Amino acid sequence: MKKFVATLSSKQFVTNDVCYLLFSFDDPEFTYAPGQYIILSIPTSTTPLKRLYSFAGSNTTRGSFELLVKIVPGGAASEYIRILKMGDKVEVSGPAGLFTLQNNDKRKIYMVTGTGIAPIRSFLVSSAPRALNSILLWGLKDVGNSYLADELLSLKTTSPRFEYYYCFSQQSTFEGGSSLQAEHFKSGHIDSVWRAVVPVVLPEDEYYLCGSRTVVESLRVLLLSLGVERGNLFFEKY
């Protein structure tokens, strides 16, 4: 694991509480596997805090990495990231983590919540076409909390085997007015949408779960109870 300094090159709030960050650094040899994470050091008046964030971009781009971070009011790391300015330097170490894409041609089913999309986005943009033989189910509250719609549509256009659905737990009707298209809108929690779009559990499918600890654990238990083999189930809890 390497320790190094990275510089904030780009920053954008993609929703009211999710921030996209691009960092650059001077180490062309540094690389990571999609699905891994980096450790950000948060300075404090005493011992620095450590926070883990999944890489959200392509691992084929040398000298930079992307993150998607949820800003939590009152959180020390969130406040630090919220006030970061272009050109600011941060201390990081990595890569680390074992939540990586398996090297096979099995269909992948991604079941994620919130910024749990970060490592899946890294899969999709780094490991095509293997990662794009897949179905993405992304749980969010409502359309106002959605992002990446144009990017996912572009991936779908060029990769017919890729399917994706936004699963909105607090919105029952599609109202338009955003780049999200109606055919990718689903009302309900991830598990109910999954039962509708994947009516038969196939033993050869692989499942990748990422997001809030409680949701990932409940999905893991559900999938195992319905016959998904442990060897085909991979997860990362935030």
Side-chain angles (χ1 to χ4, degrees):
M1 185 182 299
K2 289 188 174 183
K3 293 184 178 180
F4 57 96
V5 173
T7 303
L8 182 62
S9 300
S10 181
K11 179 180 180 181
Q12 177 187 1
F13 275 85
V14 294
T15 71
N16 289 336
D17 61 358
V18 175
C19 189
Y20 165 85
L21 304 121
L22 172 66
F23 291 95
S24 58
F25 55 93
D26 186 20
D27 185 352
E29 300 303 316
F30 178 86
T31 188
Y32 61 89
Q36 289 191 300
Y37 59 82
I38 199 155
I39 303 169
L40 177 64
S41 180
I42 311 296
T44 70
S45 58
T46 55
T47 304
L49 300 175
K50 305 294 183 181
R51 293 293 184 268
L52 283 53
Y53 295 107
S54 296
F55 293 106
S58 173
N59 71 337
T60 61
T61 304
R62 296 291 187 261
S64 67
F65 62 86
E66 301 170 61
L67 302 179
L68 287 167
V69 177
K70 181 175 177 62
I71 303 301
V72 179
S78 291
E79 180 61 18
Y80 175 68
I81 290 171
R82 188 185 66 79
I83 63 175
L84 276 179
K85 303 182 299 296
M86 302 283 286
D88 283 351
K89 298 185 182 301
V90 299
E91 295 184 2
V92 294
S93 56
L98 301 175
F99 182 67
T100 54
L101 196 67
Q102 300 300 295
N103 187 20
N104 57 51
D105 294 325
K106 293 181 179 181
R107 183 174 68 167
K108 322 296 183 188
I109 298 178
Y110 309 122
M111 304 174 77
V112 307
T113 61
T115 53
I117 191 64
I120 306 306
R121 180 177 185 255
S122 188
F123 288 168
L124 296 174
V125 299
S126 301
S127 304
R130 178 163 47 99
L132 287 163
N133 176 22
S134 59
I135 300 173
L136 167 62
L137 304 171
W138 184 4
L140 297 165
K141 290 182 179 179
D142 52 37
V143 171
N145 286 279
S146 65
Y147 49 101
L148 300 182
D150 290 337
E151 183 175 300
L152 292 175
L153 180 60
S154 178
L155 288 171
K156 170 64 177 173
T157 301
T158 57
S159 305
R161 293 194 299 173
F162 175 55
E163 300 177 41
Y164 69 95
Y165 303 96
Y166 288 84
C167 310
F168 296 117
S169 60
Q170 297 182 17
Q171 185 167 340
S172 59
T173 58
F174 180 74
E175 300 173 353
S178 72
S179 55
L180 174 63
Q181 297 191 339
E183 60 264 37
H184 302 125
F185 174 98
K186 296 290 183 181
S187 178
H189 294 282
I190 293 176
D191 56 342
S192 62
V193 176
W194 169 70
R195 290 172 187 268
V197 301
V198 187
V200 178
V201 176
L202 300 178
E204 62 270 23
D205 285 343
E206 288 182 342
Y207 286 80
Y208 294 80
L209 318 179
C210 189
S212 70
R213 183 172 297 274
T214 53
V215 173
V216 167
E217 181 58 21
S218 65
L219 288 173
R220 187 187 70 83
V221 171
L222 172 65
L223 293 171
L224 289 173
S225 72
L226 294 175
V228 175
E229 297 182 4
R230 291 183 184 274
N232 285 334
L233 184 55
F234 310 92
F235 56 90
E236 186 86 290
K237 301 176 183 178
Y238 284 2

